[in-house]
Amino acid sequence: RHVGYGIPIELFGPFAEVCVEVMRPMVQEFPNKITNTGLVWCPKDNAHQLPEKDIPEHMMIEGFRWSISLTARVLVRTIMDGSTAVMQAVHFDDSKRLRRALLDAPRNQRNIWQLAVQVGSQSISPLFWALRSG
């Protein structure tokens, strides 16, 4: 559903960074009263285990930064590389681009291209999306 909002892909990276900066003070305020005696592998060398309570806050932030940045990169790649011309027209909300994309389709396939767009393993119907989002 995010594709139809037309968010510029240039904003995905800064959004991920802002999310990290918002989380930083929250993580630093976490009480470190962990009574769990579980052990985790040392992130520096993976050679020995540390008590879970000894993991510093900056490692939590870096883990969050990595995961949110990965999500942003996957979304950008899906929008730009993995999408069809019809999906890109939907993303940019451009009727001229949609007409051009449909001109590339064989005449007997145009209705299928309009009603079912496949990107990777996901399928979306631009008509259904337009009716649903108003």
Side-chain angles (χ1 to χ4, degrees):
R1 220 186 123 128
H2 66 279
V3 174
Y5 294 134
I7 299 169
I9 59 171
E10 297 83 27
L11 297 180
F12 281 77
F15 176 75
E17 288 301 315
V18 167
C19 289
V20 171
E21 292 306 314
V22 167
M23 288 298 291
R24 186 180 310 277
M26 291 183 205
V27 167
Q28 291 171 348
E29 292 174 6
F30 283 162
N32 198 3
K33 299 177 184 175
I34 299 174
T35 57
N36 187 358
T37 57
L39 297 175
V40 294
W41 288 103
C42 177
K44 288 184 181 177
D45 57 12
N46 268 348
H48 63 282
Q49 291 184 325
L50 297 171
E52 190 175 1
K53 64 182 177 65
D54 292 340
I55 296 181
E57 291 85 9
H58 76 276
M59 295 174 82
M60 287 187 247
I61 291 293
E62 287 308 309
F64 180 71
R65 178 191 312 275
W66 178 84
S67 61
I68 196 93
S69 297
L70 178 65
T71 303
R73 286 191 305 270
V74 166
L75 287 172
V76 168
R77 183 173 180 200
T78 300
I79 290 171
M80 295 312 298
D81 298 339
S83 59
T84 63
V86 173
M87 278 305 295
Q88 287 184 3
V90 169
H91 171 72
F92 292 111
D93 195 23
D94 187 353
S95 60
K96 289 180 184 178
R97 192 178 275 202
L98 181 61
R99 283 190 205 103
R100 274 187 258 131
L102 291 174
L103 286 176
D104 293 340
R107 230 181 292 165
N108 63 347
Q109 295 286 313
R110 286 185 188 156
N111 59 348
I112 294 171
W113 282 31
Q114 292 176 62
L115 297 176
V117 176
Q118 186 82 18
V119 178
S121 63
Q122 299 293 314
S123 180
I124 184 173
S125 167
L127 175 64
F128 176 71
W129 176 83
L131 292 173
R132 184 174 171 197
S133 62

